[in-house]
Amino acid sequence: MTSTVSTRPGTGASSAPGGRPRPWTSRAPRAAAVAALLAVPLFTTPQWQAIAVFSVIYAIAALGLHVLTGMAGQVSLGHSAFVAVGGYTAIWLGADQGLPIWVWLPAAALVSAAVGLLVVPFAARLRGLYLAVVTLAVLFVAEYLWDVWETLTGGSKGRPSQSAVLFGHDLLDDVIIGRFMLTGDQQFFYLACAVLAVAAVAARNLSRTRPGRGFAAIRDRDLTAAVVGVPVARMKSAAFAVAAAYAGIAGALLVAYQTYAVPDQWDLMLSVELLAMIIIGGVGSLRGAIAGAVFVTAIPQVVTLLARVVPGISTTPSAGGGVSVDVLANFLYGLTVVAVLVFEPRGLAGISERVLDAAGRKNRKGRSDG
């Protein structure tokens, strides 16, 4: 299959032409970025701490789409269905059966991957728009199932979810360590960051393996890949399974953090937002998927802050005489998607590469002049 959004070869290369190391791959900027990320919840308000937690959780789901769409070139509009499968698997095992996080978190990934394999017969036969329509149909079937399966989902009213308990401590409960206190949001943020780090390393290593190269061949041209010996059907199956597993992990963490789950939250809008994350971040870029998740998740909060100083923005959807925060947020990231596709197909990752390349050239010029 030919991907609808292609990436330029060499995007993830670790060295610039001529053998010079790229500035963004040196250890110092990476260490600074990780330190800044870990310090975010320590110097922000509880509201922004919650945004940070949601950003990291959605980044895990976006990494699944990075594997499916960015690496394998398969389009899916039903990713939120797999997020829901992971969430309800965790609820059944954690809340109903009383099993610990060491059981329900990996189980959420495995069950979601198994459900993802259900679309394999269609994935192997269809491509492009037709495959997207099939995944959309899967989402609609899943939405109906969540509404009628009340013993699992609680129906339209929803139900409480499991707690994230580590070593006998609920991570949503504040804890005092010496003179320092960690809030529930801060603790859950660090848990989600640890899971994201493992997921990101796994996705990065996958791209360097034989299956990862098979994904790239299918993305560029599936017929050519089949001619050179790539098992196209098997590779597409693996891509859907891996993407669904990532979504399942995100769903499990999401319901544990929210402490409640309702069927309405696993809708088409969530799938569109996840797809927007990898487009805005840069299709085919791992760090772009993470950056896109942060961007899309933070937009509503940024718009809410603007509503305090900019007239015409309403913080309540029912209020008349202004544009609601949700509508404006949707408009902004929709506009961003269009702008990215037109002006910078590599998204935030491409923009960051240009900025860092320019900074590196400026530093080298300064050293040569001196």
Side-chain angles (χ1 to χ4, degrees), residues 92-108:
W92 184 75
L93 292 174
D96 296 346
Q97 308 302 319
L99 296 176
I101 186 174
W102 314 112
V103 176
W104 57 254
L105 187 58

Side-chain angles (χ1 to χ4, degrees), residues 197-325:
V198 174
V201 170
R204 182 182 180 87
N205 291 339
L206 176 62
S207 66
R208 300 173 175 176
T209 62
R210 184 182 181 90
R213 293 190 292 270
F215 289 161
I218 294 172
R219 176 195 63 203
D220 295 336
R221 184 65 177 175
D222 55 355
L223 295 178
T224 304
V227 169
V228 299
V230 176
V232 175
R234 191 186 310 169
M235 288 294 98
K236 288 184 177 181
S237 303
F240 270 96
V242 171
Y246 274 76
I249 294 173
L253 292 176
L254 184 62
V255 296
Y257 179 64
Q258 293 178 159
T259 70
Y260 208 83
V262 292
D264 290 345
Q265 71 184 97
W266 324 108
D267 57 3
L268 176 60
M269 196 62 199
L270 177 58
S271 291
V272 172
E273 289 178 351
L274 292 173
L275 194 58
M277 291 174 188
I278 65 169
I279 293 176
I280 293 174
V283 178
S285 170
L286 187 147
R287 64 179 178 274
I290 299 174
V294 175
F295 182 89
V296 173
T297 307
I299 278 184
Q301 181 61 26
V302 173
V303 174
T304 301
L305 295 177
L306 291 176
R308 301 175 182 175
V309 295
V310 178
I313 303 177
S314 173
T315 56
T316 56
S318 59
V323 180
S324 69
V325 170

Side-chain angles (χ1 to χ4, degrees), residues 9-227:
T11 300
S14 60
S15 61
R20 296 188 303 270
R22 293 188 185 274
W24 65 84
T25 58
S26 62
R27 294 182 179 180
R30 286 184 177 182
V34 172
L37 175 66
L38 297 179
V40 165
L42 301 178
F43 302 98
T44 55
T45 63
Q47 192 172 19
W48 280 104
Q49 291 172 10
I51 294 297
V53 174
F54 282 118
S55 298
V56 175
I57 292 175
Y58 287 135
I60 298 173
L63 284 181
L65 273 183
H66 161 71
V67 173
L68 181 63
T69 305
M71 292 175 56
Q74 307 300 297
V75 180
S76 174
L77 291 177
H79 208 54
S80 61
F82 304 126
V83 178
V85 170
Y88 286 126
T89 299
I91 289 176
W92 184 75
L93 292 174
D96 296 346
Q97 308 302 319
L99 296 176
I101 186 174
W102 314 112
V103 176
W104 57 254
L105 187 58
L110 294 176
V111 174
S112 296
V115 174
L117 291 176
L118 295 178
V119 302
V120 168
F122 306 102
R125 296 173 180 269
L126 303 175
R127 66 182 70 180
L129 180 61
Y130 300 100
L131 178 59
V133 171
V134 168
T135 58
L136 184 61
V138 170
L139 174 59
F140 291 155
V141 172
E143 286 183 339
Y144 173 77
L145 185 62
W146 309 143
D147 285 334
V148 300
W149 197 352
E150 295 186 2
T151 55
L152 175 66
T153 67
S156 59
K157 295 182 180 180
R159 59 161 298 174
S161 63
Q162 83 286 356
S163 300
V165 179
L166 285 177
F167 308 110
H169 171 68
D170 190 338
L171 292 183
L172 291 181
D173 293 335
D174 297 346
V175 62
I176 298 178
I177 303 176
R179 297 182 179 181
F180 188 74
M181 185 183 75
L182 282 177
T183 66
D185 289 334
Q186 292 169 336
Q187 295 173 71
F188 209 99
F189 173 80
Y190 291 126
L191 169 66
C193 280
V195 176
L196 175 62
V198 174
V201 170
R204 182 182 180 87
N205 291 339
L206 176 62
S207 66
R208 300 173 175 176
T209 62
R210 184 182 181 90
R213 293 190 292 270
F215 289 161
I218 294 172
R219 176 195 63 203
D220 295 336
R221 184 65 177 175
D222 55 355
L223 295 178
T224 304
V227 169

